[in-house]
Amino acid sequence: MSLEPHAAEAVIVETQAALDEKSKLKKHFGRFDMLFFLICTLVGVDTLGAVASNGPEGFTWLIVLAVLFFVPYALLTAELGAAFTDEGGCYVWTKLAWGRFVASINSVLYWLSNPVWMGGLLCITAVTTFNTFFGDLGNVGQYLFSLAFIWFGVWAAILSFGVGKWIPTLGAWARIALLSFFTFSVILYAINHGLHSPALSEFSPSYTLFIGLVPLLFFNFVGFELPSAAGDEMKDPQKDVPFTVIRAAVTSVVLYGVPILAIIMVLPAAQITGLGGFIDAMKTVFTVYGGSVASDGTATLTGFGEVLGKITAAAFILVLLSSGTTWLMGSDRSQAVAGYDGGGPRVLGTFSKKYGTPIVVNFLSGTVSTIVMILAFQLSGGDAEKYFNAVLNVVLLFTTVSYLAIFPALIKLRYSHGHVYRPYKVPFGMAGVWICGCLTTFWALFASLVGFFPGLGDGGLLNDDALPEGFSRGTFELVVFIPFAITLLIGIGFYIAGRNTRRQLAPAAPPVLPPNIQPVS
């Protein structure tokens, strides 16, 4: 008996370690689990204020990228996630497209940005929220609070998906409730106090703000591929991935765009800051339930307003926690797959027999987050906003650069692996594939360049006015390039460390035939 050539070519050679670890995985991930997971991944609240701080024009660019980036990105991920369903998601896609060496380095960039994000941005925002609504934690208190924040997230990532998936589910519902209640409160606030309605001309786009916002908006819009990191834990990825990706795209644009517009309408532009924009807006609009706003814009909550403020602040912290946890669940799995595939140290590719989760990478992520958190508080010198901006740019850069290998994989795999069964395909044939692949790659490249060089092409080669406040050009480039260079070296080191794992190949397994392919005698 023989197979049709295009079916036989679908055989993927795996390491023995991959077979050993995959035997520990359990199928817990259903369609609606994935939908809530994606909502939790895509709708981040930590940067709502940073986008809103750019005023009406920021909202304009949000809509532009939603159409020209978010939609083609969703279509791209729907095809890749339904066609290549192995555990590891984007690591597998980049390996098949560009080889294990590129995938190994890219996996480190993709993974490491998340514990840095959790220990830096999410912790700072959570602490600021607590201080605003519950009282100052103090020096020792902020460390204890942050440690609990980080390691609860790590613990949730360690639990099997059968249990741990409830954190993203709760986080998704908390987002929907929080953002819906906030929008309702904005309407009440408008009825009682009026709004700071911007003029139509303020929505006009400009290149200066465009290059400043692209990395931030790009960061907010990525995450469609994250559930595919648990491909072998999904019940039916070929059907569920396209279903959930398309629905999550629509939901996310609404949940993200409406609050940003509400912040712009409630707070004067001068009062919206990157770190506290959404927090300040919540406090201001909740004065309709009890409280007042001083002439300088400072809001004070009393009575029922104070109670609601604390409830929503707790929900906000839960949303932040679920964001970090969800990204750890996905990115840690991708890095663990690299470990058992020979693209990283074998120990990182160890999954728990009890939980079916990559415990070693989970603990490593928690350790990195803890180190970043300590540095965030120690190096900020009391100026949390400055460090917030610096860490934000580093995290954005790691993320955007990693997608330079992920997005064009759609085009490459259509040619090199066109034989693989695709239950969902990007519309309009190869023209649609090229459009989606090129558009998403363009945004990733542009966001990476302006991440490295803020102010690029704005009235000259570089405009230093685009730098975060308090940074010179030299200082900022050091903050960005040194961590990036170190991360690349770590990726190369991980690849070298996986050489013994790569040599131990598993016996070739027979190919899994798509429904429309039959064996030929």
Side-chain angles (χ1 to χ4, degrees):
M1 178 181 292
S2 63
L3 300 175
E4 294 284 1
H6 60 296
E9 292 168 8
V11 177
I12 297 176
V13 178
E14 291 188 319
T15 64
Q16 182 60 48
L19 292 188
D20 294 341
E21 299 302 329
K22 283 187 175 184
S23 67
K24 304 173 185 177
L25 302 178
K26 305 170 185 179
K27 292 189 179 295
H28 290 298
F29 220 17
R31 175 172 293 190
F32 288 99
D33 301 323
M34 291 171 59
L35 179 60
F36 294 135
F37 191 94
L38 270 175
I39 292 174
C40 199
T41 300
L42 295 167
V43 185
V45 295
D46 54 305
T47 53
L48 284 174
V51 176
S53 65
N54 293 282
E57 188 185 342
F59 182 78
T60 298
W61 287 119
L62 170 71
I63 299 302
V64 170
L65 261 76
V67 175
L68 297 181
F69 170 65
F70 202 52
V71 171
Y73 171 35
L75 298 176
L76 175 151
T77 309
E79 174 171 323
L80 291 177
F84 304 95
T85 60
D86 283 346
E87 191 85 0
C90 57
Y91 170 79
V92 174
W93 307 341
T94 53
K95 185 187 78 167
L96 293 175
W98 318 115
R100 189 181 275 112
F101 178 71
V102 172
S104 175
I105 297 175
N106 205 62
S107 181
V108 174
L109 284 170
Y110 185 82
W111 159 67
L112 194 56
S113 63
N114 292 291
V116 170
W117 175 53
M118 188 168 191
L121 305 184
L122 295 185
C123 274
I124 291 174
T125 306
V127 167
T128 302
T129 304
F130 191 98
N131 289 342
T132 301
F133 288 92
F134 297 100
D136 193 348
L137 283 165
N139 189 46
V140 175
Q142 69 181 5
Y143 285 100
L144 295 177
F145 176 89
S146 298
L147 285 172
F149 182 90
I150 291 170
W151 287 97
F152 181 85
V154 172
W155 171 78
I158 288 174
L159 295 175
S160 78
F161 250 169
V163 178
K165 68 184 182 183
W166 287 106
I167 301 299
T169 299
L170 290 173
W173 281 110
R175 279 166 173 74
I176 294 171
L178 173 66
L179 298 177
S180 298
F181 182 67
F182 172 73
T183 303
F184 172 75
S185 300
V186 168
I187 296 173
L188 293 182
Y189 185 87
I191 294 173
N192 292 319
H193 302 284
L195 295 174
H196 296 276
S197 301
L200 189 60
S201 60
E202 295 182 58
F203 288 90
S204 299
S206 67
Y207 180 77
T208 298
L209 186 55
F210 171 62
I211 61 173
L213 265 183
V214 166
L216 185 60
L217 290 172
F218 186 96
F219 178 76
N220 288 326
F221 277 147
V222 294
F224 278 127
E225 74 291 336
L226 202 64
S228 293
D232 286 332
E233 298 168 74
M234 294 179 182
K235 295 178 181 179
D236 191 356
Q238 292 191 327
K239 293 181 180 178
D240 293 345
V241 168
F243 176 91
T244 55
V245 164
I246 302 303
R247 283 155 181 78
V250 176
T251 305
S252 299
V253 170
V254 173
L255 288 176
Y256 195 70
V258 172
I260 288 178
L261 185 60
I263 294 172
I264 294 170
M265 301 294 283
V266 170
L267 291 179
Q271 294 181 20
I272 305 175
T273 65
L275 181 58
F278 186 59
I279 301 170
D280 294 339
M282 282 199 303
K283 196 169 184 180
T284 298
V285 299
F286 290 159
T287 57
V288 299
Y289 307 109
S292 60
V293 180
S295 57
D296 63 355
T298 302
T300 302
L301 296 176
T302 58
F304 189 52
E306 184 177 7
V307 173
L308 284 177
K310 290 182 177 180
I311 293 173
T312 53
F316 185 78
I317 293 172
L318 171 62
V319 168
L320 294 172
L321 177 61
S322 63
S323 289
T325 301
T326 303
W327 274 94
L328 287 184
M329 286 178 173
S331 63
D332 284 3
R333 277 171 168 77
S334 290
Q335 185 57 54
V337 169
Y340 70 53
D341 185 61
R346 174 66 182 90
V347 66
L348 297 184
T350 303
F351 280 70
S352 165
K353 291 182 179 180
K354 180 178 180 181
Y355 300 112
T357 55
I359 290 183
V360 176
V361 182
N362 292 153
F363 273 108
L364 183 57
S365 290
T367 302
V368 172
S369 290
T370 301
I371 293 171
V372 171
M373 177 270 293
I374 293 172
L375 289 173
F377 290 126
Q378 289 293 320
L379 299 180
S380 66
D383 187 1
E385 185 78 19
K386 176 181 177 179
Y387 192 76
F388 176 89
N389 288 329
V391 176
L392 178 60
N393 278 283
V394 174
V395 172
L396 292 178
L397 194 59
F398 286 4
T399 303
T400 54
V401 172
S402 72
Y403 285 98
L404 288 172
I406 297 172
F407 291 152
L410 172 72
I411 301 172
K412 175 65 164 58
L413 292 175
R414 268 294 188 100
Y415 287 102
S416 64
H417 291 69
H419 54 277
V420 174
Y421 173 59
R422 287 164 168 79
Y424 173 85
K425 290 185 177 182
V426 169
F428 309 115
M430 286 305 300
V433 168
W434 275 95
I435 290 171
C436 289
C438 290
L439 270 178
T440 51
T441 303
F442 164 77
W443 290 114
L445 177 61
F446 190 80
S448 299
L449 287 175
V450 298
F452 275 118
F453 308 105
L456 180 65
D458 182 20
L461 181 61
L462 295 171
N463 182 358
D464 288 349
D465 291 338
L467 293 170
E469 184 179 353
F471 285 92
S472 65
R473 174 65 62 179
T475 302
F476 177 80
E477 299 300 351
L478 285 176
V479 168
V480 171
F481 274 100
I482 290 178
F484 183 70
I486 292 173
T487 305
L488 291 180
L489 291 175
I490 292 173
I492 295 172
F494 274 20
Y495 180 77
I496 295 172
R499 61 186 181 279
N500 289 333
T501 305
R502 294 194 295 273
R503 293 171 183 156
Q504 300 171 16
L505 299 180
V512 177
L513 299 179
N516 60 336
I517 300 296
Q518 297 297 324
V520 177
S521 298

